[in-house]
Amino acid sequence: MWSNTGWRMASGAAPTARSMAGYGLLALPLAFGGLPLYVHAPDFYAADLGLPLAALGLTLAGLRLLDAGLDPLAGWLSDRWPRARLAWVVLGAAALALGVLALFLPPAGARLTWFAAAMALASLGHSLVSVNLLTLGGAWRPEAGLRARISAMREAFGLAGLVLAVVLPAALAPWIGRGPALAVMAGLLAVLLMFAVPVFARWYRRTRPAAEAMAAPAPIAWDRLRPFYLAVLPVLLSAALPAALILMLVRDLLGLPDLAGLFLLTYFLAALPGTLAAGWLAARWGAVPVWIAALILSMAAFAFCLRLGPGEGTEFLAICLLTGFCFGADLVLPPAILFARIEAAGARHAAARAFALLGFLTKAALALAGALALPLLQLAGFRPAQPNSPEALRLLLILYAALPLALRGLAVVLLFVNHRRGRI
C-alpha cells in the first residue's frame, strides 16, 4: 500500500475578487484547448490541407476516446503525487501550448500523423491543467456559497476564452487567411499561458499551507458519489445533443446558415452573466436548488424550440439567450456540488480522480451524442445541406430539443429526490 499526501486549503477571511481572479485566470487560455480545437482543427486539415475525410474521421474518433481516457489518468497522477499539483499544472500548460502550436504550424509531409500527435499532446496538457484547476478550486474553501462563487469566477474566465478562441480566427481569416489566423490563435494561447501560469502559481503558494501527511488513505466511497454522477449525466447528454446538431438545425430547418455564428456567439455571451448569477444565487439559496431552477428554466426554452419553423431566427435568438444563460449554471454548480459530496464522503485524498470522472463523463457524452443522433438522422433520410422531408426535419428537432427536454426533466427528478434524502 503506497502512502499518499493530502492537502488542505487555507481558511479565514472570504477570498477577495483579486484572489479569485488569480485562481480563475488560467481558465481563459485553457478554454482555447477544448472545444475550439474540435471546431477549427478538423475542418482546417480537411479543407485547407486536403486530408481525406474518412481517415480524418477515424483519427478523430480515436482521439476523442484518448481524450476521454486522459482525464482519469491525470486524476490518478495528481492524487498519487499531490504535492506536485503545481508541477502538473506547469507541465500540462507547456504540453497544451506546444500541442496547439504544432497543430496549426504543420510541416509539409505526414500531416495525418502530425495532426494525431499534436492533438494528443494538446489533450494531455488540457487534462492535466483542467483536472487540477477544478480540484484546487473546489478544495479552496469549505463553505458551499464561497465555493460556488469561486467556480463562477473560473467559468466566467473560461467562457471569455472560449468566445475569443471561436471568434478570433473568423475575424482575422478574411484579412490574413485561415491558416495564419489559426497560427495567431495558437501564438496567443502560448502568450496567455506564459502570463496566466505565474499568476496561478502565486495564488497557489499564497493560499495553500504546508501539506499534511496522510498514511494509507481509505478507499474511495464511490457509492456516496454515485447519486451525483447519475444526476449529472442526463444534463451532460442534454447539452451534447444540441451542440452536435445546432449547425444542421440553423441551416436545414431554419434556413439561416449565415446567422449560425451570431447564434453561437449569443449563446456563449449569455452564459457569462449566467455563471455570475448562478454563483451569487447559490451562495444565498444553495447550489442544488439553484441548479434545479436553472434546469427547469432551460426546459421551458427547449419546449418553445419544438415550435420552430423556417425563417424564425428572432425566436431562436431568444432561445439561445435563455439556454445560454442557464448554461452558466451547468458550468458553475456541478463542480461545487461534487466537492461538497467529496467532503461528505471523506474522499479528499481522491478529489482529482472524482473530478476526472466528471471530465470523462462530459467528453463521453459528446461522443455518445454524435454516435446516437447522426445515425438516426441518416436512417430517417436526412441529408445535410440538401432538401429534406418534413419527417426528417421533425426528427432533427426532436433530437435537438425534445430529447434534451426529457433528459433535463429526468435530471430534475434525480436531483430533487436525492437532495431531499441528503445524497446530493
Side-chain angles (χ1 to χ4, degrees):
M1 176 74 72
W2 48 267
S3 63
N4 201 349
T5 303
W7 41 268
R8 179 174 53 205
M9 305 305 291
S11 316
T16 63
R18 181 177 180 179
S19 63
M20 287 193 291
Y23 158 73
L25 178 64
L26 187 57
L28 194 154
L30 182 64
F32 280 53
L35 180 64
L37 287 192
Y38 286 97
V39 171
H40 294 305
D43 191 61
F44 171 64
Y45 272 76
D48 292 49
L49 302 184
L51 286 187
L53 282 177
L56 193 61
L58 289 173
T59 304
L60 271 174
L63 285 168
R64 281 190 178 274
L65 291 174
L66 173 66
D67 192 20
L70 286 174
D71 275 9
L73 173 62
W76 180 83
L77 288 171
S78 299
D79 281 336
R80 179 64 179 85
W81 291 282
R83 289 190 178 184
R85 289 184 193 275
L86 182 57
W88 291 127
V89 169
V90 173
L91 178 63
L96 176 60
L98 289 173
V100 176
L101 282 169
L103 188 65
F104 294 119
L105 293 171
R111 282 176 170 165
L112 183 61
T113 303
W114 186 271
F115 170 80
M119 285 285 282
L121 181 61
S123 296
L124 175 61
H126 187 274
S127 292
L128 283 171
V129 177
S130 62
V131 165
N132 282 288
L133 189 65
L134 284 170
T135 304
L136 291 171
W140 183 4
R141 300 291 303 199
E143 307 92 335
L146 287 176
R147 194 180 293 131
R149 286 175 54 198
I150 293 164
S151 183
M153 180 68 78
R154 179 189 64 241
E155 298 304 335
F157 274 112
L159 282 167
L162 180 61
V163 170
L164 182 61
V166 169
V167 171
L168 182 65
L172 291 178
W175 301 93
I176 61 176
R178 183 157 70 156
L182 291 171
V184 168
M185 184 191 76
L188 179 60
L189 166 63
V191 171
L192 288 172
L193 283 171
M194 289 174 64
F195 176 73
V197 169
V199 172
F200 176 82
R202 192 177 305 117
W203 165 84
Y204 182 81
R205 294 189 181 104
R206 286 178 177 176
T207 57
R208 178 186 181 275
E212 59 176 339
M214 292 175 57
I220 305 175
W222 290 114
D223 58 319
R224 300 187 66 181
L225 302 180
R226 190 178 299 117
F228 167 80
Y229 292 122
L230 291 177
V232 79
L233 184 56
V235 180
L236 297 175
L237 285 170
S238 71
L241 282 165
L245 300 174
I246 184 171
L247 295 181
M248 296 180 188
L249 184 88
V250 171
R251 180 188 59 228
D252 299 305
L253 178 69
L254 300 181
L256 302 170
D258 294 340
L259 297 181
L262 174 63
F263 293 139
L264 287 169
L265 184 60
T266 299
Y267 178 84
F268 289 122
L269 288 178
L272 281 168
T275 60
L276 301 177
W280 182 79
L281 290 170
R284 292 178 60 89
W285 304 105
V288 176
V290 171
W291 195 22
I292 289 175
L295 289 171
I296 293 173
L297 187 59
S298 68
M299 288 170 64
F302 279 117
F304 182 69
C305 191
L306 290 170
R307 301 170 56 88
L308 285 177
E312 294 184 332
T314 302
E315 293 83 350
F316 189 63
L317 189 66
I319 291 170
C320 290
L321 276 170
L322 184 54
T323 54
F325 183 81
C326 295
F327 179 59
D330 293 347
L331 289 173
V332 168
L333 301 180
I337 296 169
L338 175 56
F339 203 88
R341 300 315 305 160
I342 291 170
E343 288 191 321
R348 269 182 172 246
H349 63 280
R353 278 169 284 172
F355 277 103
L357 181 54
L358 179 60
F360 171 81
L361 291 176
T362 301
K363 293 170 181 177
L366 287 169
L368 182 59
L372 171 69
L374 299 182
L376 286 176
L377 285 171
Q378 183 174 340
L379 287 173
F382 179 82
R383 295 174 297 174
Q386 298 184 42
N388 285 286
S389 67
E391 293 76 17
L393 293 175
R394 186 63 182 171
L395 178 61
L396 174 63
L397 196 55
I398 288 171
L399 292 171
Y400 182 90
L403 187 52
L405 175 62
L407 288 167
R408 290 191 168 235
L410 174 62
V412 166
V413 172
L414 291 173
L415 283 169
F416 180 79
V417 171
N418 284 293
H419 187 56
R420 287 289 298 271
R421 296 177 177 176
R423 297 175 180 171
I424 294 182

